[in-house]
């Protein structure tokens, strides 16, 4: 889960894997399906996010790949 600056979760909500909550959004209900972008007050599903890593470019992408390779070498899931 990624909470952007000022994002809030009011409590008791269930959020799935790989949720992105946009800046200053307020989550007031559950989104158990995961892999979505939540935006607004109250937050609503704005877009499906099938692969967050596909958006990375340049140095950020290189660093994520290096970490993933290191996790494989160390046997970390």
């Amino acid at each position: 889960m990624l909470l952007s600056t000022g994002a809030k979760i009011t409590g008791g909500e269930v959020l799935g894997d790989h949720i992105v909550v946009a800046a200053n959004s307020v989550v007031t209900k559950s989104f158990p399906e995961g892999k979505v972008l939540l935006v607004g007050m109250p937050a609503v599903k704005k877009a499906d996010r099938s692969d967050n890593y596909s958006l990375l470019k340049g140095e950020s992408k290189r660093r994520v790949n290096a970490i993933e390779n290191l996790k494989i070498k160390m046997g970390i899931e």
Side-chain angles (χ1 to χ4, degrees), residues 29-45:
K29 65 179 186 177
S30 294
F31 292 90
E33 67 272 14
K35 295 185 180 179
V36 296
L37 170 64
L38 303 178
V39 177
M41 196 180 314
V44 295
K45 179 178 161 182

Side-chain angles (χ1 to χ4, degrees), residues 1 12-19 27-36 38 45 48:
M1 177 187 339
E13 287 76 14
V14 175
L15 299 177
D17 294 331
H18 307 291
I19 295 278
V27 179
T28 59
K29 65 179 186 177
S30 294
F31 292 90
E33 67 272 14
K35 295 185 180 179
V36 296
L38 303 178
K45 179 178 161 182
D48 289 320

Side-chain angles (χ1 to χ4, degrees), residues 24-72:
N24 298 313
S25 296
V26 179
V27 179
T28 59
K29 65 179 186 177
S30 294
F31 292 90
E33 67 272 14
K35 295 185 180 179
V36 296
L37 170 64
L38 303 178
V39 177
M41 196 180 314
V44 295
K45 179 178 161 182
K46 182 72 171 180
D48 289 320
R49 306 294 299 226
S50 60
D51 181 8
N52 290 329
Y53 294 121
S54 66
L55 301 175
L56 296 176
K57 293 185 170 110
E59 181 65 13
S60 296
K61 187 170 190 171
R62 187 195 67 76
R63 289 181 184 193
V64 168
N65 289 337
I67 291 169
E68 293 300 320
N69 290 334
L70 183 59
K71 286 167 68 176
I72 290 168

